[in-house]
């Protein structure tokens, strides 16, 4: 029987979700769907000091926009719920106690001032203070490994603050397996005795994360590389509890486009691209950060771009719908080394998706922009405009600069192009062209093209002498789609009017 695949995305609601977080969610989702498994959203909000109120909603909204739906999570299919750790807080102490009783954890009563003293003392001697096998039983640190049972009890009864620390094994070569990185080994002497349970009565990330992954029957932990240093502790915790360890896969970092290091919000600000899926307003400072959605990215293009930041299909194909991604995704094809973010590539994906979008869908979005400019046109017309210009567009917001002349006569004319193409004799020629145009009965693109070109031939002049000034009159510049498509769409009356305007103004 196939093992039941259950994966989770477990963000901490400490601020807006970075695109690295969305990628983690995406890879979890793809892996789950590929194996007919379950994708769980769990909110890890045990650290009350870093809690940001609107962050959870932001996470949910971002996953919804990106179309990475979770199967279980807050408010949805709460089979293993609750899915917010703050609502599970009564549960963790019991597990910390299990480890105390089995000798895998101990109480530590050292105050933060005392620990600071130790740190300072070590620093002065050019050493680093690590709370572990090395010093935990030497008598200078105050914990249940050195105090007797009664002393411990009386301290706790007297309300003295304590934490519960994991007792890392001494000098063991711990062998671990990562689905992406392969075999990893570490000597446990390098580990510190991490706090599992804090003096405020809350579990730390490590304890809550392991307990919940176990209780929620998570089969694969797929998360960012920044959690790799926690893997030994987590593997040891599973051993301490006598629980089956899930498989681990640590995803590569998403790197800055230039220079070294992890992609940060500052890179986005500096180079002008978003690092968040949705726009985000900081609750305290009011600072607004850009989002892919608001910048005009299509959710499917965004997802396709993200999928390639760390994974590749091993072929030349780059355009993958979400279903294609589900089919092709494989942890074996996720790289170990960081994936360089490229804003140009992100735009390229959007431009590619633009070409495959239905014109009616794009027209709807464009109609909204036009409405804001006070322009209402029928949807068939807008659709036609969109199909004329979309091949040159990356975003829907590009449509206006590419097609404003379909809706409004130009008010200015490109100076360089006018100088070059509007000569002494042009006005008279355009007057004649107005007469010709007025006489055309069938005002379709093909027919106007045929008739105007025939007319030019009779005049024995180069096509450019007519075509360039005509384009200038209609568009205001030497750009835009096929000239006769523009003529057909703006209509005879408007074409004539624009020629008259140009004669007057140029
Ligand atoms: N709460 C952790 C985070 O914010 C989860 C790490 C994990 O997936 O284990 O990323």
């Amino acid at each position: 029987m196939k093992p039941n695949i259950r994966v989770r995305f477990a963000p901490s609601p400490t601020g807006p979700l970075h695109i690295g977080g969305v990628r983690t969610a995406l890879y979890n989702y793809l892996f789950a769907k590929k194996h007919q498994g379950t994708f769980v959203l769990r909110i890890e909000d045990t650290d009350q000091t870093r809690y940001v109120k609107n962050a959870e909603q932001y996470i949910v909204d971002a996953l919804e926009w990106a179309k990475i739906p979770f199967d279980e999570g807050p408010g949805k299919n709460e089979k293993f719920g609750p899915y917010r750790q703050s609502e599970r807080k009564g549960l963790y102490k019991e597990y910390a106690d299990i480890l105390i009783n089995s000798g895998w954890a101990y109480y530590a009563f050292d105050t933060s001032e005392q620990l600071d003293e130790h740190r300072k003392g070590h620093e002065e001697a050019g050493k680093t203070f690590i709370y572990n096998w090395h010093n935990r039983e030497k008598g200078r640190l105050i914990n249940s490994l050195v105090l007797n049972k009664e002393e411990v009890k009386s301290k706790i009864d007297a309300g003295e603050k304590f934490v519960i620390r994991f007792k890392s094994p001494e000098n063991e070569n711990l062998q671990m397996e990562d689905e992406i990185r392969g075999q990893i080994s570490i000597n446990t002497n390098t580990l510190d005795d991490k706090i599992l349970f804090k003096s405020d009565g809350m579990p730390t990330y490590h304890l809550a994360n392991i307990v919940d992954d176990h209780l929620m029957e998570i089969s694969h932990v797929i998360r960012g590389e920044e959690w790799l240093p926690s893997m030994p502790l987590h593997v040891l915790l599973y051993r301490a509890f006598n629980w089956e360890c899930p498989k681990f896969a640590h995803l590569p970092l998403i790197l800055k486009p230039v220079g070294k290091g992890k992609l940060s919000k500052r890179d986005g600000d500096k180079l002008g691209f978003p690092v968040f899926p949705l726009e985000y307003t900081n609750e305290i400072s009011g600072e607004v950060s850009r989002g892919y959605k608001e910048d005009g990215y299509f959710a499917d293009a965004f997802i396709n771009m993200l999928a390639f930041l760390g994974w590749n299909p091993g072929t030349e194909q780059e355009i993958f719908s979400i279903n294609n991604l589900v089919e092709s995704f494989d942890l074996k094809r996720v790289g170990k080394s960081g994936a360089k973010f490229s804003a140009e590539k992100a735009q390229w994906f959007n431009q590619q998706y633009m070409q495959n979008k239905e014109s009616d869908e794009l027209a709807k979005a464009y109609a909204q922009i036009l409405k804001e400019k006070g322009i209402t046109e029928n949807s068939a017309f807008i659709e036609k405009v969109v199909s004329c210009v979309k091949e040159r567009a990356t975003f829907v917001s590009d449509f206006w600069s590419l097609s404003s002349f379909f809706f409004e006569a130009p008010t200015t004319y490109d100076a360089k192009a006018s100088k070059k193409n509007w000569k002494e004799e042009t006005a008279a020629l355009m007057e004649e062209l107005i007469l010709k145009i007025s006489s055309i009965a069938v005002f379709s693109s093909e027919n106007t093209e045929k008739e105007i070109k025939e007319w030019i031939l009779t005049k024995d002049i180069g096509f450019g002498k007519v075509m360039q000034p005509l384009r200038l009159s209609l568009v205001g510049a030497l750009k835009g789609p096929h000239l006769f498509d523009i003529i057909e769409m703006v209509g005879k009356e408007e074409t004539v009017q624009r020629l008259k305007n140009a004669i007057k103004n140029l």
Side-chain angles (χ1 to χ4, degrees), residues 4 17 64 75 77 81 128 146 157 265 279 322 368 374 379 408 415 443:
N4 205 2
L17 191 61
E64 192 177 299
N77 269 333
T128 319
V146 289
D157 290 347
K265 181 171 129 35
E279 193 172 273
I322 190 80
Q368 203 49 42
S379 50
E408 286 180 349
F443 215 71

Side-chain angles (χ1 to χ4, degrees), residues 8-14 24 42-45 85 205 209 213 221-224 226-227 234:
R8 83 307 189 267
F9 176 50
S12 299
T14 53
T24 300
R42 183 173 72 228
I43 302 294
E44 300 210 322
D45 55 351
Q85 288 186 328
Y205 151 73
N209 185 272
D213 280 350
V221 169
I222 304 171
R223 61 186 175 190
E226 61 274 30
W227 301 102
H234 294 183

Side-chain angles (χ1 to χ4, degrees), residues 191-257:
L191 303 175
D192 60 339
D193 286 356
K194 280 271 181 311
I195 296 176
L196 301 176
F197 202 81
K198 295 179 285 185
S199 54
D200 64 0
M202 287 290 258
T204 57
Y205 151 73
H206 302 292
L207 179 68
N209 185 272
I210 262 56
V211 167
D212 287 347
D213 280 350
H214 172 71
L215 295 179
M216 294 181 181
E217 297 177 10
I218 298 303
S219 62
H220 291 72
V221 169
I222 304 171
R223 61 186 175 190
E225 181 177 314
E226 61 274 30
W227 301 102
L228 193 57
S230 300
M231 187 177 170
L233 171 64
H234 294 183
V235 168
L236 289 167
L237 276 167
Y238 280 99
R239 184 203 288 177
F241 279 118
N242 229 334
W243 292 339
E244 195 189 331
C245 199
K247 293 206 174 343
F248 287 96
H250 289 90
L251 307 176
L253 293 176
I254 298 183
L255 303 174
K256 295 175 186 302

Side-chain angles (χ1 to χ4, degrees), residues 34-45:
K34 165 122 193 184
H35 300 283
Q36 293 87 44
T38 304
F39 173 48
V40 177
L41 172 67
R42 183 173 72 228
I43 302 294
E44 300 210 322
D45 55 351

